[in-house]
Amino acid sequence: MATVGRVLAIGAVVLAIPAACVGALALYGRALAESEVAVGTLVSPAEARARLERERARFRAMTPAQHLEEARLALATGYDEATHTGGNFRGVEHHAAAIPDGAPEHASLAALRDEVRRRRVNLFALARGRVAQHLGEHAAVADPGRQRTMRAELARDVDELAPRGLGCVHVADEAHTTLRFDHADCDQAMLDAIARPDHTAALRGYGFRRVRCANGRGLIEL
């Protein structure tokens, strides 16, 4: 049976399907499998909301010990030992935030959050490496069609890191000249860590004009 944290995540995706990207839909499919929801048995939006509210009530009733256990399970989700990346960071914080300051379990949160920060640093370094690899392998070209293909290939390669916590990565706008990060926690620090200043000229040579967060919290004009 799915944990409360996973069910809440499923509900959030169900209610936000119109805005979901391909990666989020894939995660939704995996979450459904974890919840033992068979193909052909999807519920109505009203029932989905009712189930979500029941799970929220269960979440509010959880003890600090249960929240800590769920936070640890979230951190272990999708962990890749080779790169020290992965984990449901939002799930970690969701449960960590529910543990009151006076609870004995609160003392364990600093280590969990430190580990989240370490994995984010590792993830951003991994993404930065993939960007650098593309920029290093392909010199700037003048052909707009080839540039567009190169931009799509770069975004697709970085997007493969989505299951490790990066979120969806796309080329966006009408001319596909924006490298867009759709992760809910995307911010300026994340963009600066991945698209470093020494990459600016090469990204421009690919035809990119900007790198931005879909949530509006980060922007690099090239």
Side-chain angles (χ1 to χ4, degrees):
M1 178 176 289
T3 62
V4 173
R6 284 198 292 270
V7 173
L8 289 174
I10 294 166
V13 174
V14 169
L15 300 181
I17 284 294
C21 65
V22 173
L25 288 173
L27 291 174
Y28 170 57
R30 287 198 293 274
L32 286 176
E34 291 176 352
S35 302
E36 300 176 358
V37 178
V39 174
T41 63
L42 296 182
V43 299
S44 67
E47 176 59 22
R49 289 185 176 89
R51 292 185 183 184
L52 179 58
E53 185 51 45
R54 288 194 294 271
E55 293 305 326
R56 284 173 172 164
R58 287 179 58 197
F59 181 90
R60 292 190 293 268
M62 290 174 65
T63 66
Q66 289 172 326
H67 280 300
L68 180 59
E69 177 62 21
E70 286 291 325
R72 287 170 171 162
L73 289 173
L75 188 61
T77 300
Y79 178 64
D80 179 38
E81 188 172 356
T83 60
H84 301 291
T85 59
N88 177 3
F89 301 154
R90 291 179 68 82
V92 172
E93 187 54 37
H94 188 50
H95 285 282
I99 298 175
D101 292 349
E105 292 79 8
H106 195 271
S108 300
L109 299 185
L112 281 177
R113 286 169 168 152
D114 283 346
E115 180 61 19
V116 167
R117 283 190 285 270
R118 281 192 290 270
R119 292 191 194 179
R120 282 174 63 86
V121 169
N122 293 340
L123 179 62
F124 296 165
L126 197 60
R128 181 170 63 248
R130 292 202 175 187
V131 170
Q133 181 178 353
H134 274 266
L135 299 180
E137 290 177 350
H138 303 285
V141 296
D143 177 62
R146 177 56 185 154
Q147 280 188 341
R148 187 180 181 116
T149 298
M150 289 163 58
R151 292 195 296 273
E153 290 173 347
L154 184 151
R156 184 170 58 249
D157 198 21
V158 178
D159 185 57
E160 289 180 355
L161 299 175
R164 301 182 190 179
L166 192 64
C168 304
V169 184
H170 306 283
V171 284
D173 71 45
E174 185 175 349
H176 284 193
T177 57
T178 296
L179 182 61
R180 191 186 74 203
F181 291 79
D182 289 358
H183 196 283
D185 293 332
C186 182
D187 56 18
Q188 191 65 47
M190 173 177 165
L191 297 187
D192 291 341
I194 296 174
R196 293 173 49 162
D198 53 320
H199 291 158
T200 298
L203 286 168
R204 192 182 298 119
Y206 262 52
F208 283 114
R209 293 295 171 261
R210 67 193 56 81
V211 181
R212 73 176 183 88
C213 297
N215 61 19
R217 294 172 55 194
L219 173 67
I220 298 175
E221 292 285 0
L222 301 173

